[in-house]
Amino acid sequence: MRFVPLACPAWGPKHRDPAMTSPVLIDRFDHMVLTVADIDETCDFYRRVLGMEKAVFAGGRVALGFGRQKINLHPAENPYTPRAKNAVTGAGDLCLITETPLDDVITHLQAEGVKIIEGPVAKTGATGPITSVYFRDPDENLIEVSNYN
């Protein structure tokens, strides 16, 4: 298998590895799922800390909206189907990109009583170098908030 660097200027057919044989080309994430102990507590945290909006859909299901994506929330005690094979709280590890300067993010996290567990630290994002801070949500999911350099 040939290594394809993640830091390409743009993803798309012209950057596609010619050795790939699948005719399917994924464009982006639409949503992901977090299994959570308390949907209301999770919504409050992500609203206060990250400015996400609660959305209720499809018979009372709940999601957190931001940009063009969403995070669907599944209750741990009664997860929806289909679901991940091992749908448990605290298994998430996500990186979220913001244009808010990280110094302002750090100040806001501290004001909200969120403990930063690492950062700011240099990392590699999908399209280039990023600077990140890490913290945990109420279910102990690892949350990385980053700026592209």
Side-chain angles (χ1 to χ4, degrees):
M1 177 184 285
R2 187 173 77 98
F3 174 74
V4 178
L6 288 178
C8 348
W11 293 98
K14 67 182 179 179
H15 293 97
R16 196 167 187 187
D17 182 343
M20 294 180 79
T21 58
S22 175
V24 177
L25 180 61
I26 301 299
D27 178 55
R28 65 184 178 272
F29 277 104
D30 178 77
H31 70 276
M32 60 164 295
V33 174
L34 288 177
T35 300
V36 301
D38 184 321
I39 287 179
D40 290 335
E41 180 182 19
T42 299
C43 289
D44 179 63
F45 177 86
Y46 281 88
R47 180 192 54 76
R48 285 184 303 101
V49 175
L50 297 172
M52 294 185 186
E53 294 182 20
K54 177 181 178 179
V56 179
F57 67 103
R61 294 174 71 158
V62 177
L64 298 164
F66 62 100
R68 294 176 15 180
Q69 291 79 33
K70 66 177 180 164
I71 300 172
N72 289 350
L73 303 177
H74 286 195
E77 74 281 351
N78 188 22
Y80 302 110
T81 57
R83 63 179 173 266
K85 183 176 182 180
N86 297 308
V88 296
T89 61
D93 182 343
L94 18 145
C95 178
L96 303 167
I97 302 299
T98 183
E99 296 202 10
T100 303
L102 277 189
D103 286 343
D104 294 348
V105 171
I106 291 166
T107 298
H108 179 65
L109 292 172
Q110 291 168 338
E112 290 293 334
V114 176
K115 180 183 176 190
I116 296 169
I117 58 175
E118 186 176 338
V121 61
K123 295 290 181 175
T124 302
T127 62
I130 57 177
T131 304
S132 302
V133 294
Y134 291 84
F135 55 93
R136 296 198 183 274
D137 74 3
D139 288 293
E140 299 294 319
N141 294 300
L142 183 63
I143 309 300
E144 175 183 0
V145 174
S146 308
N147 290 150
Y148 270 95
N149 300 341

